[in-house]
Amino acid sequence: MARVALTWLAEPGNRIVWQLVQAHGAEETLDRLIGGDIPEASLRAAVASRSSSGDPRRVAEYALRRAQRLGARVVVPSDDEWPTGVQSLATLELDVGGRISRDVRPPLCLWVRGSRPLGDAFERSVAVVGARAATPYGLHVTADIAYGLAEQEWTVVSGGAFGIDAAAHRATLAAGGFTVAVLACGVDRPYPVGNAALFEQIAESGLLMSEWPPGAEPLRHRFLIRNRVIAAATAGTVVAEAAARSGAVQTMSRVVALNRRAMVVPGPVTSAMSVGCHELLRRYPQARLVTGVAHVLDEVGRIGEYLAEPARGGDHVRDGLDEESALVLEAVPRRGIAGPEQLAARAGLGLRTVLRRLSLLEIKGLVVRRDGGIALAALARTPVARTDTPPRTRFPA
Amino acid sequence: MARVALTWLAEPGNRIVWQLVQAHGAEETLDRLIGGDIPEASLRAAVASRSSSGDPRRVAEYALRRAQRLGARVVVPSDDEWPTGVQSLATLELDVGGRISRDVRPPLCLWVRGSRPLGDAFERSVAVVGARAATPYGLHVTADIAYGLAEQEWTVVSGGAFGIDAAAHRATLAAGGFTVAVLACGVDRPYPVGNAALFEQIAESGLLMSEWPPGAEPLRHRFLIRNRVIAAATAGTVVAEAAARSGAVQTMSRVVALNRRAMVVPGPVTSAMSVGCHELLRRYPQARLVTGVAHVLDEVGRIGEYLAEPARGGDHVRDGLDEESALVLEAVPRRGIAGPEQLAARAGLGLRTVLRRLSLLEIKGLVVRRDGGIALAALARTPVARTDTPPRTRFPA
């Protein structure tokens, strides 16, 4: 109850409130704040102003009753299910300065709808976030990544916004996976209302979570405060699309400062909704370019557990050949035969090397001995054929 | 003549030939090679095989006569116009091992069509390269970058292939800029033939350049050898599009090893022609993501001469506000008025801070004093209005 009241008196993340709670406990801190014993002027003024509109304890009791009717619970750090990741916010120091950047301390409590314990839900979790005004491209990539994460039994975490957030939740639900929506308003308050049905689905098979009590408004600055919880509670954050100067930069600065995996999906340079992504990749050396779920799993998975396969071109017969063998194979005429000396001259290699490489090529079934010379085997013929536009896969301009 | 003959006896870049020329001069090296005095077996065999098909000196004389008829010239390191950048290849050591990787020594000579001196042409030059099977997206971005480089009087350098290479040349010509095509065959030999008209245009207003004499065939391995010249002669290389496992990786490894600027254009993760680009960005920390010519100029230009402007979102009235002022502005009701105490409570800030910030907001014309309270000014109203989907530009989910 004291933690609920404190969250009402000062917005979550407040550094001074958090320090007082650490030093004296929530009950005593609440007494101090209500008594006006506050070591900072701006907090003192904010608390006084808030107190003048109601009794903090009664507000908290009302919120708890409302939550009970709703089937929501409040979770505090001493609970078994408290997600340990958010505690990293206790020591987070951001370089950027300014009031908000200092006020990134851990939540005092979390309101939850959904049955799974928080800690369990966040243990293997990745945030997938991005623009509201997402493009079909961004929605497609988001759905692919979220679906793939769900298939590998990773929890997908996002906000509740239109666009990328909603796409991430929907794809996770479609995969039968587990999704968490971290809201900047009460868990009983569908915001945006267009996502109301989605929130109900998430509450049933996933989790709705918020630092603010039921009924709380989605004030603009609360999104900023909320974002730190998404960054801290998960193993990493994927930004799927972001406009120029979007909040993705703020999110990523925290992800990086928290030593979580910062992942960014690139897009067409002609798309306004990828400008922010490209800015992130240019600004943060720690941000990793990811093009799909394999790369994401590669970042957040235990080393070796998920190893993204290198991108592959067509399976040309030359693949896997060393450079010398490739040169020799290239030197073999398309039609007819050639002697080893001719091949050596054409390939610019020594005769001994050519003979050694020919043995290898023969074993691989790429060349055959015929009429006292060397000819291309049928297997090697098509891709080796020199045309106006030789395949560029190995030797491109 | 000796350098021409040597380039015929062994492919350009050969480490041993280059070392001999450095130690004994081209004439004596040619004598040695013809005499079979060669310190490596594979080179000895290659030279013997090549010599058996003709006299190197006569081949060289024929090539020089052919060039003269064509209006082409041969340039050697002692010429004033020799491009100094290629000399960096003298000490290039690549980690990858294997014969080709060691044979990256500077050209012995360069065949040129076009009047401008080579050194002058390459002094401010950027390579723009990429896939033959380019997409409309890649062609568009390439044209934008090449056109912009030409406008800033940078030389655009590329190969002669279809796709990105041709698009780079065409856009440069369209901008009235200067373009160099570095070929893997004779400068008299349109390859691919579909680009013949383009090559003629380049020869007239730019430069066609090759290490191989007129008439030389575009053998596949020559593209690989040629690429080192593009990497070394320019200030940096932009890869606009590249398929998975494309030669762009080889090119970039050299660009990076040569300490030139490695630049890569991202694209849709759903495009096969951007897979190679994304692999480069993942593989090489030195590779810089570029989304347009401003970023390219930022990399290759003298520091401060070109400074890429940060990407900008819409010009919201809040832009430039500090966080506290933004919070106060957010707290002002959409309709009607509020007192400073109400604003302080709503914004979670101290009264003194709110009063200070209100003065600032008033000066900026964002709030007005009315009826003993604070109201939004018309200027601030539209973007400040809280809707179902508040603009995410500054405070996104």
Side-chain angles (χ1 to χ4, degrees):
Chain A
M1 190 277 290
R3 286 172 174 268
V4 172
L6 287 170
T7 301
W8 180 74
L9 278 174
E11 289 287 296
N14 185 289
R15 184 172 48 94
I16 292 162
V17 173
W18 189 82
Q19 282 167 344
L20 289 171
V21 170
Q22 291 302 104
H24 310 289
E27 280 291 346
E28 190 182 325
T29 302
L30 180 60
D31 287 342
R32 282 195 183 204
L33 261 57
I34 291 172
D37 178 11
I38 301 170
E40 196 210 42
S42 73
L43 178 62
R44 190 158 57 240
V47 167
S49 172
R50 193 49 82 92
S51 298
S52 71
S53 68
D55 171 23
R57 287 196 177 84
R58 285 188 53 195
V59 170
E61 276 157 18
Y62 174 77
L64 286 163
R65 277 200 305 276
R66 186 166 171 172
Q68 200 166 23
R69 281 199 303 275
L70 187 71
R73 65 187 183 278
V74 67
V75 178
V76 295
S78 57
D79 289 324
D80 282 345
E81 65 168 300
W82 186 256
T84 52
V86 299
Q87 293 310 117
S88 304
L89 294 165
T91 52
L92 178 61
E93 289 300 336
L94 289 171
D95 280 346
V96 281
R99 174 188 163 279
I100 285 175
S101 300
R102 282 183 285 116
D103 287 346
V104 290
R105 290 293 163 256
L108 294 177
C109 60
L110 291 165
W111 301 83
V112 186
R113 281 179 70 192
S115 54
R116 187 168 171 189
L118 282 184
D120 181 49
F122 279 102
E123 195 184 335
R124 278 162 58 93
S125 64
V126 175
V128 180
V129 300
R132 276 196 315 273
T135 70
Y137 166 73
L139 298 175
H140 168 81
V141 176
T142 300
D144 258 18
I145 290 175
Y147 198 98
L149 285 168
E151 281 190 318
Q152 297 292 330
E153 298 184 2
W154 281 77
T155 296
V156 172
V157 179
S158 195
F162 289 132
I164 299 298
D165 289 12
H169 294 305
R170 288 208 172 89
T172 308
L173 292 170
F178 196 85
T179 195
V180 181
V182 184
L183 306 178
C185 56
V187 291
D188 59 335
R189 195 180 165 119
Y191 175 85
V193 286
N195 282 345
L198 175 62
F199 292 141
E200 286 310 309
Q201 270 189 283
I202 296 172
E204 271 170 43
S205 66
L207 289 173
L208 290 180
M209 185 176 106
S210 176
E211 293 180 82
W212 292 272
E217 273 188 271
L219 299 180
R220 188 190 299 271
H221 70 272
R222 291 184 170 164
F223 290 91
L224 204 66
I225 297 173
R226 179 275 314 263
N227 287 347
R228 82 194 196 295
V229 173
I230 296 180
T234 54
T237 295
V238 179
V239 176
E241 280 196 319
R245 310 179 73 196
S246 86
V249 173
Q250 180 242 23
T251 295
M252 271 306 172
S253 69
R254 292 177 179 188
V255 169
V256 166
L258 287 161
N259 206 22
R260 305 292 192 269
R261 297 310 207 164
M263 295 164 278
V264 181
V265 178
V269 300
T270 47
S271 167
M273 284 302 131
S274 289
V275 172
C277 291
H278 298 144
E279 284 298 314
L280 287 175
L281 288 166
R282 287 173 55 81
R283 184 193 287 226
Y284 294 105
Q286 305 95 329
R288 192 92 170 114
L289 184 151
V290 295
T291 70
V293 70
H295 288 160
V296 176
L297 291 171
D298 206 24
E299 288 299 306
V300 298
R302 267 176 291 153
I303 290 166
E305 187 181 355
Y306 306 98
L307 195 63
E309 291 221 352
R312 290 189 62 84
D315 276 322
H316 296 292
V317 291
R318 273 184 209 79
D319 284 2
L321 288 187
D322 61 284
E323 299 285 6
E324 286 181 346
S325 300
L327 288 172
V328 172
L329 186 61
E330 164 68 9
V332 180
R334 187 174 175 184
R335 291 189 184 80
I337 60 163
E341 296 81 6
Q342 285 173 281
L343 296 179
R346 195 167 179 127
L349 293 169
L351 185 58
R352 189 179 301 227
T353 304
V354 169
L355 290 171
R356 206 162 47 227
R357 294 308 169 190
L358 280 174
S359 304
L360 178 79
L361 293 169
E362 208 179 347
I363 290 164
K364 292 204 172 207
L366 295 169
V367 301
V368 290
R369 286 168 200 271
R370 200 180 70 204
D371 308 331
I374 312 295
L376 279 187
L379 177 61
R381 200 157 291 147
T382 320
V384 168
R386 204 173 310 117
T387 67
D388 261 13
T389 53
R392 208 174 189 175
T393 309
R394 281 189 77 86
F395 302 129
Chain B
M1 191 277 290
R3 287 172 175 268
V4 172
L6 287 169
T7 300
W8 181 74
L9 278 174
E11 288 288 297
N14 185 289
R15 185 172 48 96
I16 293 162
V17 174
W18 189 82
Q19 281 167 345
L20 289 172
V21 170
Q22 291 301 106
H24 309 290
E27 281 290 348
E28 189 182 325
T29 301
L30 180 59
D31 287 342
R32 284 196 181 204
L33 261 57
I34 291 171
D37 178 11
I38 301 169
E40 196 209 44
S42 74
L43 177 62
R44 191 159 56 240
V47 167
S49 172
R50 194 49 83 92
S51 299
S52 71
S53 67
D55 171 23
R57 288 198 176 83
R58 284 188 55 195
V59 170
E61 276 158 17
Y62 174 78
L64 287 162
R65 277 199 305 277
R66 186 165 172 173
Q68 202 168 21
R69 282 199 303 276
L70 187 72
R73 66 185 182 279
V74 67
V75 178
V76 295
S78 58
D79 289 324
D80 282 346
E81 66 169 298
W82 185 256
T84 52
V86 298
Q87 293 308 118
S88 305
L89 294 165
T91 51
L92 179 61
E93 290 299 337
L94 289 172
D95 280 345
V96 281
R99 176 189 163 278
I100 285 174
S101 301
R102 282 184 286 116
D103 288 345
V104 291
R105 291 293 163 254
L108 294 176
C109 61
L110 291 165
W111 301 84
V112 186
R113 281 180 71 193
S115 54
R116 188 169 171 188
L118 282 184
D120 181 48
F122 279 102
E123 195 185 334
R124 278 162 57 94
S125 64
V126 176
V128 181
V129 300
R132 276 196 315 273
T135 70
Y137 166 74
L139 298 174
H140 168 80
V141 177
T142 300
D144 258 17
I145 290 175
Y147 198 99
L149 285 168
E151 282 189 317
Q152 298 291 328
E153 297 183 3
W154 281 77
T155 295
V156 172
V157 179
S158 195
F162 290 132
I164 299 298
D165 289 13
H169 293 305
R170 288 207 172 91
T172 308
L173 293 170
F178 196 85
T179 194
V180 180
V182 183
L183 306 179
C185 57
V187 291
D188 60 336
R189 193 180 166 117
Y191 176 86
V193 287
N195 281 344
L198 176 62
F199 292 142
E200 286 310 308
Q201 271 189 283
I202 295 173
E204 271 170 41
S205 66
L207 290 172
L208 289 182
M209 184 175 107
S210 177
E211 294 181 80
W212 292 272
E217 272 189 273
L219 299 179
R220 190 191 297 270
H221 70 272
R222 290 184 171 164
F223 291 90
L224 204 66
I225 297 173
R226 180 274 315 264
N227 287 349
R228 81 194 195 295
V229 173
I230 295 180
T234 55
T237 295
V238 180
V239 176
E241 279 195 320
R245 310 179 73 196
S246 86
V249 172
Q250 181 242 25
T251 295
M252 272 305 172
S253 68
R254 293 176 179 189
V255 169
V256 166
L258 287 161
N259 205 21
R260 305 291 192 269
R261 296 310 207 165
M263 295 164 279
V264 181
V265 179
V269 300
T270 46
S271 167
M273 285 301 131
S274 289
V275 172
C277 291
H278 298 144
E279 284 299 312
L280 287 175
L281 288 167
R282 286 173 56 81
R283 183 194 286 225
Y284 294 105
Q286 304 94 331
R288 192 92 169 114
L289 184 152
V290 295
T291 70
V293 70
H295 288 159
V296 176
L297 292 171
D298 207 24
E299 289 298 305
V300 298
R302 265 176 293 155
I303 289 166
E305 188 181 354
Y306 306 98
L307 194 66
E309 291 221 353
R312 288 188 63 84
D315 275 322
H316 295 292
V317 292
R318 275 185 207 78
D319 283 2
L321 287 188
D322 61 283
E323 299 284 7
E324 286 181 347
S325 299
L327 288 172
V328 173
L329 185 61
E330 164 68 12
V332 179
R334 187 174 176 184
R335 291 188 184 80
I337 59 165
E341 295 82 5
Q342 285 174 281
L343 296 180
R346 196 170 176 124
L349 293 169
L351 185 59
R352 189 179 300 226
T353 304
V354 168
L355 291 171
R356 207 163 48 228
R357 293 308 169 191
L358 280 173
S359 303
L360 178 80
L361 293 170
E362 206 179 351
I363 290 163
K364 292 207 171 204
L366 295 170
V367 302
V368 291
R369 286 168 199 272
R370 200 178 71 203
D371 307 330
I374 312 296
L376 278 188
L379 176 61
R381 199 157 293 148
T382 321
V384 169
R386 203 173 312 117
T387 67
D388 261 10
T389 54
R392 209 175 190 178
T393 309
R394 279 189 79 87
F395 303 129

